[in-house]
Amino acid sequence: MSDQFKTILLKAKLNFAILAAILVIAVLGKFTNPELTNSIFITADQLLSELYLIFVAITLGAFIPNFKLVVFGAIAAFIGAAVLIQMGIFTYLTTEYLFSVLIVVLGFASIANLYRHYREFKF
């Protein structure tokens, strides 16, 4: 393995952990509750046509220097909104839709962050 590749793997552990977690959620969800998993990922697929969401996610990943803030902020916003859904304040949202938004935002932010930091490496 080249030294550049090792450097990327060591420095971008959080990015790869997020992308791996999305993959694990998809695989485990297919075994445990395939209907729910299908509905979440179909909604996430439909969210890709919402370009403002993609632009926000890419902007967060590419321009916020501390990527941990982006990840923890997105997860905290998800938890806060999920609590408000359970309390009945957000009656027009579902937790599944919110989870789909979280997957899209974290996925695109992670990829944008990887590109921003590691585009100068040549393999």
Side-chain angles (χ1 to χ4, degrees), residues 11-60:
K11 289 185 176 182
K13 289 184 275 194
L14 182 58
N15 294 335
F16 290 122
I18 289 169
L19 296 172
I22 292 171
L23 183 64
V24 167
I25 288 169
V27 170
L28 289 179
K30 289 290 184 182
F31 291 118
T32 58
N33 194 348
E35 295 84 17
L36 178 64
T37 304
N38 281 341
S39 71
I40 287 172
F41 280 96
I42 287 172
T43 304
D45 184 46
Q46 292 169 350
L47 284 171
L48 295 178
S49 66
E50 303 292 332
L51 290 179
Y52 63 89
L53 182 64
I54 304 302
F55 289 145
V56 167
I58 290 171
T59 302
L60 287 173

Side-chain angles (χ1 to χ4, degrees), residues 6-116:
K6 287 180 187 177
T7 304
I8 291 173
L9 286 177
L10 289 174
K11 289 185 176 182
K13 289 184 275 194
L14 182 58
N15 294 335
F16 290 122
I18 289 169
L19 296 172
I22 292 171
L23 183 64
V24 167
I25 288 169
V27 170
L28 289 179
K30 289 290 184 182
F31 291 118
T32 58
N33 194 348
E35 295 84 17
L36 178 64
T37 304
N38 281 341
S39 71
I40 287 172
F41 280 96
I42 287 172
T43 304
D45 184 46
Q46 292 169 350
L47 284 171
L48 295 178
S49 66
E50 303 292 332
L51 290 179
Y52 63 89
L53 182 64
I54 304 302
F55 289 145
V56 167
I58 290 171
T59 302
L60 287 173
F63 297 115
I64 303 293
N66 190 352
F67 188 64
K68 289 178 187 177
L69 291 176
V70 173
V71 173
F72 293 131
I75 292 172
F78 168 76
I79 291 170
V83 167
L84 293 175
I85 289 170
Q86 296 301 320
M87 291 173 56
I89 294 173
F90 288 155
T91 57
Y92 53 91
L93 283 176
T94 63
T95 308
E96 291 83 14
Y97 182 80
L98 215 57
F99 191 68
S100 298
V101 171
L102 180 70
I103 287 173
V104 169
V105 168
L106 286 180
F108 274 92
S110 181
I111 291 169
N113 189 266
L114 274 171
Y115 180 74
R116 173 185 174 223

